[in-house]
Amino acid sequence: MRSFLVSSLTLLFLASHIEAAEVQNTSSPLPAPAPSPSASNINVTEFLNSLLLGYDKRLRPNFGGPPVNVTITTFIEFIGDIDEINMEFTTILYFRQYWDDPRLAYKDSEYKKRLSFNPDMLKFIWVPDTHFPGIKDGAKHDITATNEVIRIFPNGTILYSMRLKVTSQCSMDLRNFPMDKQKCKLKMEAFSYDEEEMTLAWHPINPVNVAKGIEIPSYSLEDVTWYTGKEEFTTGSYSLLTVQFELDRRLGFHMIQIYLPSYLIVILAWVSFWVDREQTAARIAMGITTVLTMATLIGSARVSLPKVSYVKSLEWFLIMCFLFVFSAILEYSFVSYLVFRQRIKNREDLARDPQHSREMLLPEEAVLEGDQDGSGEPGQEAVWVPSKQQVETVLTKTGVAPCKKNVSRARKDQSSIVALINKVEIVWRIAFPLTFLLLNLIYWVYYLAVSVSK
């Protein structure tokens, strides 16, 4: 009985201590950890719906207030396809626009990261209508998907980036071609919003970048500059941004294709002066060949150039070469005329006095061939002329050959004409290359100095 009472009291004592401990624990509980906000705890779809709730893409940011400022950066990836005939050039660039839209700011929300979207987001938000004045063709790259991205930052800043291929016009002055320098411009302008509603400006950080190692056929990229301006229209004043590419043409291609062949053709025309003037077929063939070759070269050069009203540097050079080549034919035509005139005069003089017999002809002056029978019939005689080292046919009357008196007079006239012919040949052999070298010196000094000064 006593042991039962002791066991009961022990159980009651333990129960009271356990109840007191539970009451103490409930009176001072430990704080539970607060959940940290994260993307996994946020329904992004609901967040975007709440962000775009009441958003009207037809209205620009700050509608009815100050103009929205759009800053632009470009990264030039490629420059090429410079066409002198159509006066155009092609660029591939990354075109990025920044602006602030307070309606899309979410810095007070639990989500603190930027939002990136594909082009489908353009259906729901306002974007600037920037365009490129003066372009002839353009395209957005879409391999493997459309190269566009929209990024929204918590403070409401929006980035719209795209990759474009733009073919734009480039006004060229080709007077110094192919030693010219060109300035091609790529322009960007607001289309429907004037400066009272939207302004364009270059981004303060790296507004224009050019990829390293760009190679442009026939050109060297000397410099890239950019500036801000505006254009006035009847509908208002619009912001205008311009990127200017300074291009220096390389002379190597035209030196190999045009200048060097032209020099060789002119040298060939000069070599023809050293061919014996009696070799008519050879000199005529060389003259005609050089003239036709120069004409073909001029035609092929003009095909790659636009039809402008002024004469270009290359055309002046080709005209000069053509005139020198053509002058070689004129020189030989003049020499041939003098030779023909000499022969006619000799024949007339020898046929003018039939009173002397063949015996009076000096053997050292001429030797008769052919009609040696003394028949006395009118006809022709073959005469060896020592001073010319050739046989010439002369007219005779009553079969009488030229006498000593006639031969002396013919020799005197002949010597004057031959001296004139020799003088013409020697003068052209010396004057032709010297004049050509002098004109080339003036040509290269002038155009290279002009191209450097410009």
Side-chain angles (χ1 to χ4, degrees):
M1 184 69 179
R2 181 181 292 179
S3 60
F4 176 76
L5 292 174
V6 172
S7 300
S8 301
L9 291 174
T10 302
L11 293 173
L12 290 173
F13 179 79
L14 293 174
S16 62
H17 277 277
I18 293 173
E19 183 178 2
E22 291 178 355
V23 171
Q24 185 178 0
N25 290 336
T26 55
S27 62
S28 57
L30 294 175
S36 58
S38 61
S40 60
N41 298 327
I42 297 176
N43 189 321
V44 180
T45 302
E46 293 181 359
F47 173 71
L48 290 178
N49 291 335
S50 63
L51 190 64
L52 297 175
L53 183 63
Y55 187 93
D56 191 349
K57 65 171 295 184
R58 298 172 298 178
L59 304 179
R60 67 172 178 85
N62 305 326
F63 183 79
V68 57
N69 183 36
V70 180
T71 58
I72 292 176
T73 66
T74 60
F75 179 79
I76 309 299
E77 185 182 26
F78 169 81
I79 304 173
D81 298 341
I82 302 175
D83 189 350
E84 291 83 7
I85 297 179
N86 298 318
M87 292 194 177
E88 62 186 23
F89 73 106
T90 300
T91 56
I92 298 177
L93 70 153
Y94 291 88
F95 182 60
R96 304 184 179 104
Q97 303 176 84
Y98 296 85
W99 70 94
D100 292 332
D101 194 339
R103 298 173 292 180
L104 297 177
Y106 57 92
K107 59 183 178 180
D108 296 331
S109 67
E110 295 180 349
Y111 191 79
K112 302 300 182 183
K113 296 182 179 180
R114 73 184 186 189
L115 298 170
S116 298
F117 303 97
N118 60 22
D120 292 338
M121 190 62 180
L122 298 174
K123 302 176 183 178
F124 306 103
I125 65 173
W126 179 90
V127 293
D129 57 351
T130 309
H131 78 293
F132 294 84
I135 70 169
K136 296 184 176 181
D137 193 13
K140 291 182 181 179
H141 288 265
D142 54 2
I143 300 175
T144 58
T146 304
N147 298 167
E148 293 180 274
V149 64
I150 296 287
R151 291 177 181 174
I152 303 177
F153 296 87
N155 62 351
T157 299
I158 301 176
L159 164 63
Y160 178 30
S161 177
M162 67 187 84
R163 187 166 178 256
L164 303 175
K165 179 181 179 181
V166 178
T167 300
S168 180
Q169 63 185 7
C170 178
S171 299
M172 299 182 182
D173 186 355
L174 298 173
R175 287 181 173 86
N176 297 330
F177 178 90
M179 292 165 282
D180 56 328
K181 294 184 177 181
Q182 303 297 338
K183 294 181 179 180
C184 295
K185 299 177 181 180
L186 182 63
K187 299 179 180 180
M188 305 158 214
E189 186 180 54
F191 185 77
S192 59
Y193 296 98
D194 59 14
E195 288 191 323
E196 295 182 359
E197 297 181 290
M198 188 180 79
T199 59
L200 295 180
W202 290 113
H203 198 276
I205 303 175
N206 295 329
V208 178
N209 288 319
V210 179
K212 295 181 180 180
I214 288 183
E215 288 291 336
I216 308 174
S218 301
Y219 284 92
S220 296
L221 182 61
E222 295 294 321
D223 193 14
V224 179
T225 57
W226 56 90
Y227 50 88
T228 305
K230 62 180 181 180
E231 282 191 333
E232 300 289 342
F233 297 97
T234 56
T235 55
S237 178
Y238 296 82
S239 299
L240 178 66
L241 303 181
T242 304
V243 183
Q244 180 173 278
F245 305 97
E246 296 184 11
L247 304 171
D248 188 6
R249 193 185 304 274
R250 296 173 182 172
L251 193 57
F253 173 80
H254 297 90
M255 184 64 71
I256 297 174
Q257 297 293 328
I258 303 296
Y259 286 101
L260 185 58
S262 299
Y263 282 130
L264 295 178
I265 294 171
V266 174
I267 292 174
L268 182 60
W270 176 63
V271 169
S272 66
F273 296 143
W274 299 90
V275 178
D276 185 8
R277 59 176 174 266
E278 298 298 334
Q279 303 296 325
T280 304
R283 293 192 65 166
I284 290 296
M286 294 179 68
I288 295 298
T289 301
T290 53
V291 169
L292 294 179
T293 306
M294 276 304 306
T296 303
L297 197 62
I298 292 174
S300 62
R302 291 180 62 88
V303 169
S304 60
L305 296 176
K307 297 179 181 179
V308 293
S309 59
Y310 50 81
V311 182
K312 295 170 282 294
S313 168
L314 181 62
E315 292 176 338
W316 281 121
F317 176 80
L318 292 175
I319 291 173
M320 176 181 66
C321 293
F322 183 82
L323 291 178
F324 270 85
V325 170
F326 188 72
S327 67
I329 294 184
L330 294 181
E331 184 271 346
Y332 184 65
S333 299
F334 180 66
V335 170
S336 298
Y337 169 74
L338 293 180
V339 171
F340 177 75
R341 178 183 171 186
Q342 170 198 356
R343 292 178 178 178
I344 293 297
K345 187 172 183 59
N346 289 343
R347 292 173 183 177
E348 290 178 351
D349 291 341
L350 293 175
R352 197 171 287 146
D353 189 0
Q355 303 299 324
H356 300 274
S357 63
R358 284 187 175 90
E359 288 77 8
M360 296 193 62
L361 178 64
L362 294 180
E364 65 269 17
E365 295 295 337
V367 178
L368 298 182
E369 299 178 1
D371 186 14
Q372 299 292 340
D373 55 357
S375 61
E377 295 297 329
Q380 296 180 344
E381 293 290 346
V383 180
W384 170 258
V385 182
S387 59
K388 296 180 62 177
Q389 296 296 312
Q390 66 180 18
V391 176
E392 291 190 357
T393 302
V394 297
L395 299 176
T396 60
K397 294 182 179 180
T398 67
V400 179
C403 65
K404 180 178 179 181
K405 178 180 179 181
N406 292 337
V407 170
S408 299
R409 186 172 55 189
R411 286 187 60 191
K412 183 177 180 180
D413 295 337
Q414 171 187 330
S415 61
S416 62
I417 296 178
V418 171
L420 177 60
I421 295 174
N422 294 334
K423 185 176 181 180
V424 170
E425 292 274 72
I426 294 173
V427 168
W428 273 93
R429 289 173 183 175
I430 298 174
F432 185 90
L434 292 180
T435 306
F436 186 71
L437 290 175
L438 178 61
L439 292 178
N440 268 270
L441 180 63
I442 296 174
Y443 172 85
W444 288 108
V445 170
Y446 173 78
Y447 280 106
L448 288 178
V450 168
S451 62
V452 170
S453 63
K454 288 186 177 182

